[in-house]
Amino acid sequence: MGIVNATPDSFSDGGQHSQRDAAVAHAQRLIAEGADIIDIGGESTRPGAQPVSVQQELERVMPVIEGLRGVQVPISIDTCKPEVMQAAIAAGVQMVNDIDALQDAAAMHAVAAANVAVCLMHKQGDPQTMQAQPQYRDVVAEVCEFLRGRIAAAEAAGIARVRIAIDPGFGFGKTLEHNLALLRGLEQLAGLGVPLLAGLSRKSMLGALTGQDVEHRVHASVAAALLAVQRGAKIVRVHDVGATVDALKILNAVNS
Ligand code: 7PJ
């Protein structure tokens, strides 16, 4: 899954792809490099980021979605807003990536009413405050229980299991130790029986481990993606698609 940020204040792109044409061109490049899904987001969820309005988010993402009409891979919309989900679904996106795991009833309804896939992600707290003091008794068990509950809620709302993926939400209300525990324990999450998505690309935990700033985390990101796939992740959400695809080709060759 290749990341396309349609935000002026994104985690890692520094607003570089905030213009529609740049974002569309970037997505096309990621597809050429081997991305199987393109994930478009219009609200930065970096720690401390401020929320944006529905209108603002629509203005950022819809032109990019429309600019990618006809591409050969499914498009995912990274949003927790039901209005944005609905508009994106109407424009043809095939997946909703909700860092709020459809806890908003209207979001649950928007996905249930459409025939799209969904990624349910765990987080503790909200982007504004989540990194203040994350606490868990047993982070793997708690994330597992949360995701099990969200799968059940989605199924109860009429979303078939085959449409659901889950994600532990690396960096979303987690310390470095929590993130490492989740990566070590990923197989337990993979055991929940739906495809597991892992998003580690360029995240601050990789900066903490390597001392590299966000522009220089490609190698660490590729290593993290490889480790996640080795532990059962079926989808990796990454910025550096070409490098990750090469690494996964080696892993697949060794495993097959
Ligand atoms: C994730 C995400 C993630 C899913 C972001 C960033 C922060 N969606 N959206 N999983 N992270 N499913 O890319 O660094 O880890 S935004």
Side-chain angles (χ1 to χ4, degrees):
M1 172 184 268
I3 302 168
V4 174
N5 287 315
T7 60
D9 63 342
S10 79
F11 244 101
S12 322
D13 287 349
Q16 205 180 331
H17 302 295
S18 61
Q19 302 297 311
R20 172 195 178 277
D21 290 350
V24 170
H26 186 65
Q28 282 162 340
R29 189 178 131 209
L30 299 185
I31 295 167
E33 289 178 1
D36 294 319
I37 306 171
I38 293 295
D39 188 44
I40 301 172
E43 176 173 38
S44 174
T45 45
R46 100 173 104 184
Q50 292 305 306
V52 296
S53 69
V54 169
Q55 193 52 38
Q56 211 172 355
E57 199 174 321
L58 285 170
E59 282 167 13
R60 291 176 182 181
V61 297
M62 293 311 291
V64 182
I65 292 169
E66 276 147 24
L68 290 171
R69 197 182 298 273
V71 294
Q72 292 309 301
V73 303
I75 305 296
S76 158
I77 177 73
D78 184 348
T79 189
C80 6
K81 294 191 182 70
E83 298 91 341
V84 176
M85 292 177 191
Q86 256 161 352
I89 290 166
V93 311
Q94 283 145 285
M95 181 168 183
V96 169
N97 174 23
D98 182 7
I99 65 161
D100 206 28
L102 301 182
Q103 290 181 93
D104 179 316
M108 181 70 88
H109 180 74
V111 172
N115 188 26
V116 294
V118 64
C119 179
L120 306 170
M121 198 196 79
H122 175 275
K123 64 177 164 56
Q124 186 177 91
D126 294 308
Q128 292 89 313
T129 56
M130 65 190 180
Q131 289 306 106
Q133 213 169 41
Q135 278 174 14
Y136 300 85
R137 282 171 287 104
D138 177 339
V139 67
V140 177
E142 285 173 54
V143 168
C144 218
E145 273 326 294
F146 173 82
L147 292 173
R148 193 197 306 279
R150 297 316 300 157
I151 295 168
E155 284 194 284
I159 302 171
R161 217 177 162 80
V162 294
R163 289 166 57 190
I164 302 171
I166 52 167
D167 182 343
F170 288 103
F172 285 87
K174 281 115 187 162
T175 63
L176 174 59
E177 280 312 319
H178 295 143
N179 288 315
L180 288 172
L182 282 167
L183 188 49
R184 286 186 200 108
L186 217 52
E187 268 157 8
Q188 213 169 309
L189 297 175
L192 287 174
V194 299
L196 182 66
L197 188 155
L200 291 146
S201 187
R202 299 188 189 175
K203 285 195 174 169
S204 65
M205 63 177 285
L206 305 179
L209 293 170
T210 59
Q212 301 285 4
D213 65 27
V214 72
E215 302 305 316
H216 298 98
R217 293 179 192 160
V218 181
H219 307 88
S221 298
V222 171
L226 208 62
L227 290 167
V229 172
Q230 211 166 26
R231 284 162 174 73
K234 298 295 183 208
I235 304 170
V236 279
R237 182 180 176 279
V238 306
H239 300 86
D240 304 291
V241 170
T244 309
V245 166
D246 276 0
L248 291 177
K249 282 180 180 166
I250 308 307
L251 181 67
N252 285 341
V254 171
N255 286 348
S256 68

